[in-house]
Amino acid sequence: MESRCENCIIRQFNSLRAMSKEELKQVSDTKTTKIIKKGESLFEEGDKLNGVYCVRNGVSKLSKLSANGKDQIVKLASKGEVLGQRSVISQEITNLSAVAVNDMEVCFIPKDSITNTLQKNPNFTLEVLRHIAHDLKEADDVIVNISQKTVKQRMAEAFLYLQNNFGEDADGFLALTLSREDISNVVGTATESAIRIISEFKKKGLIHTSGKKIGIKDERKLLEVVEGF
Amino acid sequence: MESRCENCIIRQFNSLRAMSKEELKQVSDTKTTKIIKKGESLFEEGDKLNGVYCVRNGVSKLSKLSANGKDQIVKLASKGEVLGQRSVISQEITNLSAVAVNDMEVCFIPKDSITNTLQKNPNFTLEVLRHIAHDLKEADDVIVNISQKTVKQRMAEAFLYLQNNFGEDADGFLALTLSREDISNVVGTATESAIRIISEFKKKGLIHTSGKKIGIKDERKLLEVVEGF
DNA sequence: CTAAAAATATGATATTTATCAGTAATTCGT
DNA sequence: ACGAATTACTGATAAATATCATATTTTTAG
């Protein structure tokens, strides 16, 4: 038997915890679990979404393509996050693409269970609202960072962000390994520039690398870079 | 007698239209109307907000100060928009400052009327959710624009945005007049750079100016600049 | 295991943008 | 209306960043 949402721990991290037993039962009855391999996409910018994706495992990058062909990564979503919410709420096509950064396990929840609950259960709606409000605040911060900080500052910030949000492995490397291109798309810069700054940070002893893996060596100095020293 | 929310047209443009008669009555009984002069602030980054502001007239810039002392304008809010919603919902201090760009008339609505309704009226909550979701989508667009477009492209885009959202006056100038500094803070660039590009656009016949007023002369060519030609 | 492909790295250079310095124009308070 | 203060503008220069070219390393497919 497939696992039931009622027993799913992941739910505690997102707005689904505000659903009633019956609502949750309906979600569980209609949901499907999917395995998404690294590099595959959950949905593409412009798609009409018929539901939301609840992340059980793995990480997805949410990005938007610009006219010049470069992707800007707007958010990295991991365990517990619900993707596609915004699009389902506004009943608009999605403005972002979601691509797996590593192998993922997600639950697809058809939109009806969501929209029905949104209309009937104010606790759930409020909970979703709180999450979206939080995302909005973070987006505002990103705007200010990108427009006011140098690439070097944003690179340092990105490493600290990855450390805080995804942790480190046994060998002291960031647990989430991104390609140099993905890093540059998070930071909003050219891939070559990102690589150059990685080299510089390495030379200065702020980080260490092994292949594409990156580890933080001197958190204090990285923070100083973020602050502009 | 002061005007009542029940009769207020502005309400049709925002989430307050989803309130019931009784809820609206309570809002009306507790609200206060304020005049905010150009340059004065509704609230400052870091303030704890005791309510939201419903804009009846005038325009407010929502901005965030960065470490280097420059403001980044994240949004321009005018008639019908409700400011401070996000902060009240998350019960956090506000992450933005709201300053009047011209003389404003706003209604201050104490947060209790809002939070009570959020917990009881799912229609209202859903309506607020839709608005915040829309803001989030716009914020994502801003992120991509800032990181992927040149200053020149963003300047052209800003003028078209001002035209679309605030219209033109009888003489063909943008109805919302911003200082050069404000323009540079919307676009996310140095004031001198913004001025330089204004001069260039003027020389090329894309815009015309009179004092600080700016008018669009060749919309098509401006659009071409946005697209990168 | 190996050749091909992809990703990473680095140098040289061009372009974009910011900063500094100074002048002209406009706005504001009395 | 007048001087002071702010805002707008322009030039010279410096700094940041992107782009192009190319080499090296790593990964992938067969």
Coordinates of all heavy atoms in Angstrom, one line a residue, chain D residues 5-7 21 26 29:
Chain D
dA5 P 22.5 76.9 2.9 OP1 22.5 76.6 4.4 OP2 23.8 77.0 2.2 O5' 21.6 75.9 2.2 C5' 20.2 75.8 2.5 C4' 19.6 74.8 1.6 O4' 19.5 75.4 0.2 C3' 20.3 73.5 1.4 O3' 19.4 72.4 1.6 C2' 20.9 73.5 0.0 C1' 19.9 74.4 -0.7 N9 20.4 75.1 -1.9 C8 21.6 75.8 -2.0 N7 21.8 76.3 -3.1 C5 20.7 76.0 -3.9 C6 20.3 76.3 -5.2 N6 21.0 77.0 -6.0 N1 19.1 75.8 -5.6 C2 18.3 75.1 -4.7 N3 18.6 74.8 -3.5 C4 19.8 75.3 -3.1
dT6 P 19.9 70.9 1.7 OP1 19.3 70.4 2.9 OP2 21.4 70.9 1.6 O5' 19.3 70.2 0.5 C5' 17.9 70.4 0.2 C4' 17.7 70.4 -1.3 O4' 18.6 71.3 -2.0 C3' 18.1 69.0 -1.9 O3' 16.9 68.4 -2.4 C2' 19.0 69.3 -3.1 C1' 18.8 70.8 -3.3 N1 19.8 71.6 -4.0 C2 19.6 72.1 -5.2 O2 18.6 71.9 -5.9 N3 20.7 72.8 -5.7 C4 21.9 73.1 -5.1 O4 22.7 73.8 -5.7 C5 22.0 72.6 -3.8 C7 23.3 72.8 -3.0 C6 21.0 71.8 -3.3
dT7 P 16.8 66.9 -2.9 OP1 15.4 66.4 -2.6 OP2 18.0 66.2 -2.4 O5' 16.9 67.1 -4.5 C5' 16.0 67.9 -5.2 C4' 16.6 68.1 -6.6 O4' 17.7 68.9 -6.6 C3' 16.9 66.8 -7.3 O3' 16.1 66.7 -8.4 C2' 18.4 67.0 -7.7 C1' 18.6 68.5 -7.6 N1 19.9 69.0 -7.4 C2 20.5 69.9 -8.3 O2 19.9 70.2 -9.4 N3 21.7 70.4 -8.0 C4 22.4 70.1 -6.9 O4 23.5 70.6 -6.7 C5 21.8 69.2 -5.9 C7 22.5 68.8 -4.7 C6 20.6 68.7 -6.2
dA21 P 36.2 34.4 -30.2 OP1 36.5 35.0 -31.5 OP2 35.1 33.4 -30.0 O5' 37.5 33.8 -29.6 C5' 38.6 34.6 -29.2 C4' 39.6 33.8 -28.5 O4' 39.2 33.6 -27.1 C3' 39.8 32.4 -29.0 O3' 41.1 32.1 -29.2 C2' 39.2 31.5 -28.0 C1' 39.4 32.3 -26.7 N9 38.5 32.0 -25.6 C8 37.2 31.8 -25.6 N7 36.6 31.6 -24.4 C5 37.7 31.6 -23.6 C6 37.8 31.4 -22.2 N6 36.8 31.2 -21.4 N1 39.0 31.5 -21.6 C2 40.1 31.8 -22.4 N3 40.1 32.0 -23.7 C4 38.9 31.9 -24.3
dT26 P 40.2 16.6 -12.0 OP1 40.1 17.0 -10.6 OP2 41.2 15.6 -12.4 O5' 38.8 16.3 -12.6 C5' 37.7 17.3 -12.4 C4' 36.5 16.8 -13.2 O4' 36.8 16.7 -14.6 C3' 36.1 15.4 -12.7 O3' 34.7 15.5 -12.3 C2' 36.2 14.6 -14.0 C1' 36.1 15.6 -15.1 N1 36.7 15.3 -16.4 C2 35.9 15.4 -17.6 O2 34.7 15.6 -17.6 N3 36.6 15.1 -18.7 C4 38.0 14.8 -18.9 O4 38.5 14.6 -20.0 C5 38.7 14.8 -17.6 C7 40.2 14.6 -17.7 C6 38.1 15.1 -16.5
dA29 P 25.6 9.3 -20.0 OP1 24.3 9.9 -20.3 OP2 25.7 8.3 -18.9 O5' 26.1 8.6 -21.4 C5' 26.5 9.4 -22.5 C4' 27.1 8.5 -23.6 O4' 28.4 8.1 -23.2 C3' 26.3 7.1 -23.8 O3' 26.3 6.8 -25.1 C2' 27.1 6.1 -23.0 C1' 28.6 6.7 -23.1 N9 29.4 6.4 -22.0 C8 29.1 6.4 -20.7 N7 30.2 6.2 -19.9 C5 31.2 6.1 -20.7 C6 32.6 5.9 -20.5 N6 33.2 5.7 -19.3 N1 33.4 5.8 -21.6 C2 32.8 6.0 -22.8 N3 31.6 6.2 -23.2 C4 30.8 6.2 -22.0

